[in-house]
Amino acid sequence: VQASFAKSCAPPPGARVFVAAASAPSMAGATESIDVTVREREYRVQALNQQDLDRNFSLATTHLFKWMQAARMDMPWMQPGYRAFGLLDPPLPSRRLLVASQMVRLVHPGVLAEAAGDEVVTRCEVGSVGRTSIEFRYRIFFGERLVGSGCTIMVVVAGEPGRLKATPVPEAVRALASSSEGDDRTLLLTTLEGLPKDAPEGAYALPLVVRYSDEDVNKHANHSALPRYFEDAKEAILADQGAPAALRELAGQQLEAVMVGYSSEARAEDRCEVRVARGFGEGALDLWVVRLAPNRWGGQPGLIGRGRLLCGGGVMPSSEERRIRSSKGTSTSSRL
């Protein structure tokens, strides 16, 4: 997907700009000005076409989580590899952020099947800030139309990959915190708190192996991998004639929300299992990703992450139905 950053929220005249001496050897003797007044950013993706859609003629939530990441990483005090974040006072070159939990909530089930032909805009702002955590909030638009909201709760850490430890949020970033509580954050934390730590006995199980392409610069599976595992499991249940009928019926519904909590790092070649069961509440499909064996980096068998898919809005139409529906009265079909 070709995408471009919208350089919004420029600091007002006279705004305070933090200046830090660069500590990386490749930047010796240089100084870098880091604007820590910016608390909002947006990320734009050009009008979506066939290459952006999944097998259901729909935009996968994996893209949304990636674009949420893109919007927050464009904060001038973040930047690729968290290079600016590590320079904030007190300087700590290994400082970075890890996703603890996140969610996307759609305005109605099936709205992601309406994405073709629209530009996608993801607007990000800083939400609640704790001692070692930062919340980012999002609004997602297809063109000018609001189609969803979301949040990401991240933990500030430092150290070597595989040995990262929580560390305080820099004071300059703490000053950007919102004064109000976010509805998505409340829903996310309440849902994860009520979700059992372990899947029930007899839960549907789908094997998977973490790919090298799932990893990011932190040398672990990127945060967007788990939502993809969740959606893959939903599709597998729907296709599996031997799966429990009640589970298949729920998996055949359209997606309304995705909530994910992360417990440990997943690494390439990890042998895992996605376990799925009906959750409490209407349309709730609960999922657990479990590592089955130790890995060579010290990871032990056990929970990697868990979450919930909220499904509803009737049976998911076929991709052909959606394709034909999208072409009626529009020029979309000529672009696909």
Side-chain angles (χ1 to χ4, degrees), residues 185-200:
R185 181 177 185 272
T186 300
L187 175 61
L188 173 62
L189 294 179
T190 301
T191 298
L192 293 178
E193 184 179 353
L195 197 63
K197 294 291 179 65
D198 299 307

Side-chain angles (χ1 to χ4, degrees), residues 112-126:
L112 296 183
E114 303 168 13
D118 279 331
E119 177 186 64
V120 181
V121 180
T122 304
R123 294 178 182 160
C124 172
E125 66 174 318
V126 178

Side-chain angles (χ1 to χ4, degrees), residues 18-35:
F18 175 78
V19 179
S23 56
S26 61
M27 300 172 64
T31 60
E32 186 173 349
S33 296
I34 304 172
D35 185 355

Side-chain angles (χ1 to χ4, degrees), residues 282-293:
E282 185 177 357
L285 199 62
D286 293 344
L287 303 98
W288 296 259
V289 178
V290 179
R291 182 165 41 235
L292 300 178

Side-chain angles (χ1 to χ4, degrees), residues 254 317 320-330:
Q254 302 181 85
E320 185 64 11
E321 287 179 78
R322 285 175 163 173
R323 186 190 68 81
I324 293 172
R325 187 183 305 168
S326 73
S327 67
K328 290 181 178 179
T330 72

Side-chain angles (χ1 to χ4, degrees), residues 103 105 135 137 151 181-189:
M103 70 167 289
R105 177 163 45 171
E135 176 206 6
R137 300 173 185 170
C151 73
E181 183 72 11
D183 292 340
D184 285 333
R185 181 177 185 272
T186 300
L187 175 61
L188 173 62
L189 294 179

Side-chain angles (χ1 to χ4, degrees), residues 148-217:
S149 62
C151 73
T152 304
I153 300 173
M154 306 192 74
V155 178
V156 183
V157 297
E160 295 297 321
R163 297 180 178 83
L164 300 170
K165 294 185 178 181
T167 190
V169 176
E171 288 300 319
V173 175
R174 188 180 303 281
L176 304 177
S178 171
S179 59
S180 62
E181 183 72 11
D183 292 340
D184 285 333
R185 181 177 185 272
T186 300
L187 175 61
L188 173 62
L189 294 179
T190 301
T191 298
L192 293 178
E193 184 179 353
L195 197 63
K197 294 291 179 65
D198 299 307
E201 187 175 349
Y204 183 90
L206 180 72
L208 73 89
V209 176
V210 178
R211 307 174 306 187
Y212 281 95
S213 58
D214 290 334
E215 290 194 341
D216 59 22
V217 69

